[in-house]
């Protein structure tokens, strides 16, 4: 039972991190109807940037981490302006292919700049683990949980009360109507990519501190994809719920596999099985908007 409770707590903490990255997917999709297949590379770039600041410039984490977030914010804006803004008005599939191309380019660039081997972060916390409810949990996961809660609360306030958030919601609902109301659609697109890149960097640094930084970190974006589809591609709340479900499912599958099944790969595939089952019942996800088209 202790192991089960430990895995459940770990699942909720990792699930909160999944939910944050899933919100980044949803943010871009809501603004532009584009699924960003380079999302995992945003995690990778953020992690490598923070690692480089901490190791090459010998900056303390509390300085290097905010600089990383500011850099990723600017990186998202520049990427949208230079690469994706010219694609406005093109077929969605063309833009999606561009994001796949960006994923390949970013992967190759990071391998060329930092090598192909995993590199550990310098020690950040005085104690690598923290006692939480009588369980030993990685300190960085506790930090990520607190940051994830703050980001989720920030997203909720941003989209409900801020002028920019309301403008982004209007843009997601109908771009032409938003333009007629004086909202700059191009500005909203750039904002969505900037926020998405910055939030993804938080997850990238967290996972990098635990497992080291390598190109394998970009696969985190693929692991989060079931959470996005599960909650609904256009639902921020669905992204959070989907992330928590996937995080808990992974750890519960690991428990069942290690105790009884001994199949060896349930941790990786369980979320996809549940995803298929739920989509057979609710094709738009748990909280996704159901589109009705007249023909």
């Amino acid at each position: 039972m202790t192991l089960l409770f430990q895995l459940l707590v770990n699942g909720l903490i990792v699930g909160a991190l999944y939910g944050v990255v899933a919100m980044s997917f949803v943010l871009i999709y809501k603004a532009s109807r584009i699924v960003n297949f380079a999302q995992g590379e945003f995690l990778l770039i953020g992690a490598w940037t923070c690692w480089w600041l901490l190791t090459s410039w010998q900056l303390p984490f509390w300085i290097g981490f905010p600089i990383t977030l500011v850099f990723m914010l600017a990186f998202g804006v520049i990427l949208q302006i230079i690469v994706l803004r010219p694609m406005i008005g093109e077929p969605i599939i063309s833009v999606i292919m561009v994001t796949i191309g960006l994923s390949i380019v970013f992967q190759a660039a990071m391998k060329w700049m930092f090598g192909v081997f995993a590199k550990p972060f310098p020690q950040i916390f005085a104690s690598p683990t923290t006692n939480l409810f009588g369980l030993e949990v990685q300190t960085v996961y506790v930090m990520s949980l607190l940051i994830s809660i703050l980001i989720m609360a920030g997203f909720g306030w941003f989209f409900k009360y801020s002028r920019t958030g309301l403008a982004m919601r209007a843009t997601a609902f109908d771009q032409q109507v938003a333009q007629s109301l004086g909202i700059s659609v191009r500005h909203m697109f750039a904002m969505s990519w900037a926020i998405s890149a910055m939030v993804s960097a938080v997850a990238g640094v967290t996972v990098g501190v635990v497992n080291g930084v390598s190109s394998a970190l970009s696969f985190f974006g693929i692991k989060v994809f079931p959470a996005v589809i599960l909650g609904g591609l256009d639902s921020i709340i669905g992204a959070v719920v989907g992330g928590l479900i996937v995080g808990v499912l992974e750890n519960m599958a690991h428990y069942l596999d290690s105790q009884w099944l001994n199949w060896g790969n349930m941790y990786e595939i369980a979320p996809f099985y549940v995803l298929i089952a739920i989509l057979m019942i609710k094709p738009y996800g748990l909280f996704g908007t159901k589109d009705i088209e007249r023909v």
Side-chain angles (χ1 to χ4, degrees), residues 20 65 142-152 202 206:
V20 167
F65 184 56
V142 177
M143 179 199 76
S144 74
L145 177 62
L146 296 176
I147 293 176
S148 297
I149 293 172
L150 288 175
I151 290 175
M152 291 173 188
V202 174
T206 301

Side-chain angles (χ1 to χ4, degrees), residues 85-132:
R85 183 169 292 179
M87 299 297 295
I88 292 177
E90 299 296 329
I92 295 296
I93 187 64
S94 300
V95 186
I96 291 175
M97 293 303 295
V98 168
T99 66
I100 294 174
L102 287 173
S103 170
I104 297 170
V105 169
F106 292 154
Q107 275 274 8
M110 293 299 102
K111 289 178 181 178
W112 174 64
M113 293 172 65
F114 299 104
V116 297
F117 299 106
K119 296 180 180 178
F121 263 79
Q123 184 174 351
I124 295 173
F125 302 102
S127 175
T129 60
T130 301
N131 190 284
L132 186 66

